[in-house]
Amino acid sequence: MNRSLPKIGIRPIIDGRRGGIRESLEDVTMAMAHRTAAFLTSELRHAGGEAVECVIADTCIAGYAEAAACEEKFASAHVGLSISVTPCWCYGAETIDMVPERQKAIWGFNGTERPGAVYLAAALAAHNQKGLPAFSIYGRDVQDSGDEAIPPDVREKLLRFARAGLAVATMRGRTYLSIGGVSMGIAGSIVDHAFFRSWLDMRVQAVDMTELRRRLDRKIYDTAELETAQAWADARFRFGIERNARPRDAAGKREILSESLAMTLCIRDMMHGNARLAAMGWAEEALGYDAIAAGFQGQRHWTDQYPNADVAEALLNSSFDWSGARAPSILATENDCLNGATMLFGLLMSGKAQIFADVRTFWSPEAVQRVTGHRLEGKSAGGILHLINSGAAALDGSCAVRDAQGAPTIKPHWQVDEDDISALLAATDWCPGLEEYFRGGGFSSHFVTRGGVAFTMVRLNLVAGIGPVLQIAEGWSVDLPPAVHAALEARTDPSWPTTWFVPRLTGHGAFRDVYSVMASWGANHAVLAHGHVGADFVALAAMLRIPVCMHNLDEAAIDRPSLWGAFGSDKEGQDYRACAALGPLYGRRG
C-alpha cells in the first residue's frame, strides 16, 4: 500500500506592521524559512529511505488570516509537524500553530536588532496557556542581523525535533500486527490496545498463529521468491554448532530452513501485503494488515511442534535479505509489543536496524574472575551486562560493518552495500535450535557484537496507575578475551546472539553501578539502538506524553517542550507531572 509520508511544515512568522517594518523583514523572514527547509531536507530521510519534504507557507504569517491560509495549505499537504521561524518580534497568540495533535517547535533568531527571542518567549507563553506544548529552539550565541548561518546548537535541536516529530506522525493510523497471544506469561506480550490507540494512534490487528500455518500449508506465498531465498541461504549462510543429542539429518535440517524462509515471506506479506499474491488468486491475503510493526508469539504453542521464527525475526529486523539492502521490518520476539514499539521508535528516528535482546545477566568483576580467572579492565572494570536474545536478532547487531574511520558500526539501511551484507553474513553462523527449548527445531542467528560501539539501551513499560514509562541507558559494547567470552557465553547458550554491554555510570540512583542498572531495569527485554541517542528518545517520549523513569543523560542534553518547566524545578518530576496533566497525546481511547 502506498502511503503519503508526513511532511514538515515551515511557518515564517513576521511583524505585521506596515509602512516600513514588515516590508523590511519580508525577504529576511522567508529566506530563514527556506534555509531551515533546505537544511532539514539535506540531513533527514524517512525510515524507509525516502526524502523528507518540507512545505513552506505561501506568505509570511503576521496574524490570524495568514495563519489560517497556512493551515489550509498544511492540511492538504499532509504536514505532520511544524516549525515556526522568525528573526523578529511578532504577535504571539495570533500566529501560533493551533492544531492540537501536531508536534510544534519555534526557532527564534538570537539577534538584538529585531529579536526573534522575544517573539519566542511570547509565543511559548501562548502555547503553554492554551495547553499546546511546543519545543523552544534558541541559539546560545547572539548573531548579527544579516548572519544566515544556522548555528550548530540550533541545528542539533532542529534535527532532534524533526526526527522525533516525524516518528510520531508516521505511526499515526498504522497497525501493530499481533501474531498469536501471550508468550510464556511475558507481560510485554499482553497487547494493550488502549495504549496503542491513546499514545500512538495505532490500531492492533490480532491474528492467530493458525493463519501463518494456513499460509504455509497452502503455499500462500511467492514460491519463486522462496526458491531465490533458499538459493541465497544455501550460498551465503554459515552453519554453526550443533548442541542437540539427536541431530536431524541433512534433509531434515534443509526442510526446517526452507520452512523458516517461507515463514519469513509469509510474515512479511502479512505485515505489508504483496501484490503478487493477488495474481495467484489470493486477493484478500495480498492486502496485508498495513502493519508498521509486528510480533510473533512462538513459544510455546508454535515452537513445541513447528520450527521457531528465529530466521524470520533475524532477517526481517535486518537491513537486508536475498533482495539486497532494504528497510528493516520490526518483528518482536515472543510478541513483546512493548519492545516492538521501542524498536519502532528507534527505527523511525534513524533508519537503522534495532537489536532485540534479553537483559540476561549482570556479571560482576568478582564473578568473572572466579569463573574465568580474568580481571575485567577498562570500561568493563565495574562489570558487564550480558544482552542475548533466544536465537534471533538483526544481523546488523554484530557491527561487522565499518564506518569511514574503520570503526565497527550500524549503518542506516540506505547506506548498506553488498560488501556490508557480506561482512554481516560472515559474522553470523546459524545454529540448529536447541530442541529442549524448541521442539519443532529452527535455526538461531549467532554472532558477537564488536566492542567499542556506542549504544543506547531502551525499554518501554506499562505500569498500573501511570501508563507507559520509558527507560534509557546509554553505554558501549565491549570486547572480552576470546576464552573469557566463550566461558561466559557457554553458561547461557553459545548458539544465540550476544552483546556485552556497559552503561555509562553517574554514581547515583539507577546508575550508581552496573549492578544497579540491571536491578532497576523494568522487564526481561530491552532494545539496543545504535549511537548515544537517548536525547532523541526523550524528545519523542515528551511528544507522546510518556515520562522517562530512568536515564543517564546529561541534563543539558534533555529537550522537552517549554511547558514542562511550569511543573516544578526537578526535571524527572516535571516530566511525570506534565505527562499526567496533559494525558496521552490522542486522549483516552479504548
Side-chain angles (χ1 to χ4, degrees):
M1 178 180 179
N2 293 324
R3 278 181 161 270
S4 296
L5 292 167
K7 300 179 180 66
I8 303 173
I10 309 294
R11 307 174 74 255
I13 311 298
I14 199 167
D15 187 330
R17 289 173 287 189
R18 302 279 183 174
I21 294 178
R22 175 161 181 162
E23 291 82 354
S24 70
L25 294 167
E26 287 279 4
D27 291 344
V28 173
T29 304
M30 190 58 78
M32 185 178 179
H34 280 277
R35 285 198 305 278
T36 302
F39 167 66
L40 293 172
T41 55
S42 69
E43 294 288 329
L44 294 172
R45 290 200 194 194
H46 289 284
E50 303 89 348
V52 169
E53 295 182 55
C54 292
V55 177
I56 303 173
D58 292 333
T59 67
C60 292
I61 300 168
Y64 288 124
E66 287 160 324
C70 171
E71 181 50 40
E72 185 174 2
K73 180 176 184 178
F74 283 8
S76 63
H78 200 56
V79 166
L81 59 155
S82 72
I83 302 174
S84 299
V85 301
T86 187
C88 59
W89 162 254
C90 319
Y91 296 173
E94 297 179 17
T95 56
I96 62 175
D97 182 339
M98 295 281 286
V99 178
E101 293 167 348
R102 180 186 294 151
Q103 300 308 310
K104 295 170 269 291
I106 303 172
W107 174 22
F109 182 82
N110 186 0
T112 60
E113 291 87 352
R114 294 188 184 276
V118 179
Y119 168 76
L120 175 62
L124 290 173
H127 273 287
N128 296 346
Q129 189 168 335
K130 296 174 183 295
L132 299 169
F135 284 73
S136 172
I137 300 176
Y138 177 54
R140 178 179 178 84
D141 298 319
V142 172
Q143 296 179 257
D144 297 332
S145 60
D147 189 349
E148 296 186 351
I150 303 177
D153 58 336
V154 172
R155 287 173 171 249
E156 183 179 7
K157 287 179 177 291
L158 285 169
L159 289 174
R160 180 170 299 139
F161 169 78
R163 283 191 294 262
L166 285 169
V168 171
T170 301
M171 288 185 284
R172 295 201 66 182
R174 300 301 301 276
T175 302
Y176 177 83
L177 175 60
S178 173
I179 306 174
V182 179
S183 174
M184 301 183 296
I186 294 172
S189 301
I190 304 171
V191 182
D192 189 321
H193 293 223
F195 159 70
F196 279 95
R197 286 280 287 133
S198 297
W199 274 271
L200 309 183
D201 199 23
M202 287 176 58
R203 294 184 290 266
V204 173
Q205 175 70 54
V207 178
D208 195 273
M209 289 185 290
T210 55
E211 170 60 12
L212 177 58
R213 186 72 261 162
R214 182 181 74 92
R215 290 184 181 227
L216 292 168
D217 291 346
R218 298 194 179 189
K219 291 184 168 49
I220 307 176
Y221 53 81
D222 186 332
T223 54
E225 186 176 9
L226 178 59
E227 290 177 5
T228 299
Q230 183 74 64
W232 177 78
D234 289 343
R236 314 274 311 256
F237 277 17
R238 295 189 312 112
F239 293 95
I241 62 171
E242 171 69 75
R243 300 185 66 215
N244 293 300
R246 294 184 176 181
R248 298 175 189 243
D249 61 19
K253 290 179 178 179
R254 184 172 178 78
E255 182 180 352
I256 285 177
L257 180 58
S258 181
E259 175 144 318
S260 297
L261 292 168
M263 288 171 65
T264 307
L265 293 178
C266 290
I267 293 173
R268 182 203 63 191
D269 293 349
M270 290 169 72
M271 292 179 68
H272 307 306
N274 185 347
R276 285 173 287 185
L277 299 184
M280 297 163 54
W282 303 102
E284 183 179 358
E285 290 81 355
L287 296 174
Y289 295 107
D290 191 38
I292 196 171
F296 182 70
Q297 176 196 331
Q299 296 189 76
R300 288 182 40 209
H301 306 122
W302 179 275
T303 58
D304 274 3
Q305 60 178 335
Y306 302 127
N308 62 32
D310 288 358
V311 170
E313 291 167 17
L315 291 179
L316 287 171
N317 283 310
S318 297
S319 60
F320 66 93
D321 59 18
W322 50 88
S323 64
R326 47 93 179 115
S329 292
I330 297 299
L331 179 62
T333 299
E334 295 157 351
N335 198 25
D336 184 346
C337 66
L338 298 180
N339 230 42
T342 311
M343 294 170 75
L344 178 60
F345 297 166
L347 173 64
L348 291 177
M349 290 192 289
S350 70
K352 298 179 182 180
Q354 307 293 299
I355 314 307
F356 189 111
D358 276 6
V359 185
R360 189 79 177 201
T361 310
F362 164 68
W363 277 99
S364 69
E366 295 77 13
V368 172
Q369 189 164 21
R370 177 182 62 82
V371 170
T372 69
H374 175 75
R375 176 174 288 277
L376 295 174
E377 298 174 341
K379 280 188 168 66
S380 304
I384 52 180
L385 296 181
H386 192 185
L387 306 182
I388 178 170
N389 195 22
S390 54
L395 305 193
D396 304 71
S398 69
C399 295
V401 169
R402 300 284 170 167
D403 63 18
Q405 290 71 44
T409 191
I410 294 178
K411 293 181 178 180
H413 66 88
W414 53 82
Q415 294 179 3
V416 172
D417 59 25
E418 186 55 40
D419 288 342
D420 298 328
I421 293 172
S422 294
L424 293 170
L425 287 169
T428 304
D429 52 281
W430 298 88
C431 305
L434 187 60
E435 296 191 14
E436 292 177 10
Y437 290 120
F438 305 117
R439 298 172 186 173
F443 283 93
S444 300
S445 55
H446 170 252
F447 59 75
V448 183
T449 304
R450 276 55 173 170
V453 180
F455 278 110
T456 303
M457 187 168 80
V458 200
R459 169 71 188 186
L460 183 71
N461 293 305
L462 288 179
V463 180
I466 299 175
V469 297
L470 195 69
Q471 295 180 290
I472 300 169
E474 292 186 342
W476 302 267
S477 60
V478 293
D479 289 319
L480 298 180
V484 176
H485 161 77
L488 301 187
E489 185 185 47
R491 294 176 73 101
T492 303
D493 194 315
S495 66
W496 294 350
T498 276
T499 305
W500 301 108
F501 177 75
V502 175
R504 184 176 61 243
L505 302 178
T506 64
H508 57 81
F511 294 92
R512 182 174 57 256
D513 51 29
V514 180
Y515 169 81
S516 298
V517 176
M518 175 78 180
S520 301
W521 205 251
N524 55 311
H525 291 152
V527 175
L528 280 178
H530 176 249
H532 286 161
V533 292
D536 286 357
F537 279 92
V538 167
L540 174 66
M543 291 178 181
L544 298 171
R545 321 282 170 76
I546 297 174
V548 177
C549 63
M550 171 181 166
H551 72 80
N552 58 348
L553 306 181
D554 188 288
E555 188 172 299
I558 296 174
D559 199 8
R560 294 185 174 112
S562 68
L563 177 59
W564 266 238
F567 287 90
S569 58
D570 58 317
K571 292 290 187 182
E572 290 189 15
Q574 282 180 358
D575 191 25
Y576 271 83
R577 290 185 286 271
C579 291
L582 292 167
L585 177 59
Y586 303 104
R588 299 281 177 182
R589 299 179 179 180

